[in-house]
């Protein structure tokens, strides 16, 4: 069992399980009834999305220093009790269930999901593709 980190809207893996959208807003122009069938997400979980201000900081980061500032700010947001409990819950569920978390960004390396991956690992989550999964 494990968590996959995915790009929302991409084709699903055969054993991916429930897809969780860790995004601030639903996909534009897509009827709510079609979110799952179009591979966006099954459950919207904005608790782990960056704030609008932080999201814009990441989107406009063009230098390593700007990206580091985004990471620092997003990690700080993820220290709230709500975010900590959410990350701990997902980490615990990863030991018994297959599911995925994701965002719309094309490249994980320049997306909050790269940081979310680290946060989940730090809490003991099992991630698909990691050693032993």
């Amino acid at each position: 069992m494990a968590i996959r980190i995915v790009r929302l809207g991409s084709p699903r893996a055969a054993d991916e399980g429930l897809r969780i959208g860790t995004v601030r807003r639903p996909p534009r122009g897509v009827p709510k009834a079609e979110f799952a069938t179009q591979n966006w997400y099954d459950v919207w979980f904005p608790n782990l999305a960056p704030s609008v201000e932080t999201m814009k900081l990441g989107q406009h980061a063009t230098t390593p220093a700007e990206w580091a500032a985004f990471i620092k700010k997003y990690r700080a947001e993820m220290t709230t009790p709500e975010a900590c409990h959410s990350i701990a819950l997902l980490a615990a569920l990863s030991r018994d269930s297959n599911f995925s978390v994701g965002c719309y960004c094309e490249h994980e390396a320049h997306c909050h999901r790269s940081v979310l991956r680290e946060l989940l690992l730090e809490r003991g989550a099992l991630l698909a593709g990691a050693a032993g999964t």
Side-chain angles (χ1 to χ4, degrees):
M1 304 295 157
I3 303 172
R4 289 181 186 276
I5 309 297
V6 300
R7 180 178 185 200
L8 301 179
S10 65
R12 292 176 190 246
D15 62 348
E16 184 176 320
L18 186 75
R19 188 173 274 199
I20 302 168
T22 60
V23 291
R24 184 64 39 211
R25 296 187 176 99
R28 292 182 183 189
V30 179
K32 186 183 277 189
E34 296 178 22
F35 289 172
T37 59
Q38 290 188 18
N39 293 326
W40 294 104
Y41 52 75
D42 301 301
V43 177
W44 182 32
F45 197 56
N47 308 39
L48 299 179
S51 66
V52 172
E53 178 186 341
T54 301
M55 179 180 62
K56 288 180 181 179
L57 186 66
Q59 289 174 332
H60 295 103
T62 57
T63 67
E66 291 172 339
W67 184 247
F70 163 77
I71 292 172
K72 182 177 180 180
K73 190 162 173 66
Y74 177 60
R75 276 186 164 271
E77 289 178 354
M78 293 299 102
T79 63
T80 66
E82 180 183 4
C84 286
H85 293 307
S86 296
I87 292 167
L89 174 65
L90 293 180
L93 288 172
S94 74
R95 296 181 193 103
D96 295 314
S97 303
N98 285 336
F99 61 95
S100 61
V101 296
C103 180
Y104 308 122
C105 298
E106 184 174 359
H107 302 290
E108 182 181 327
H110 198 74
C111 177
H112 81 279
R113 66 183 192 264
S114 65
V115 182
L116 185 55
R117 173 187 295 275
E118 294 171 3
L119 293 168
L120 288 162
L121 284 170
E122 289 166 11
R123 291 303 299 257
L126 300 177
L127 271 75
T133 59

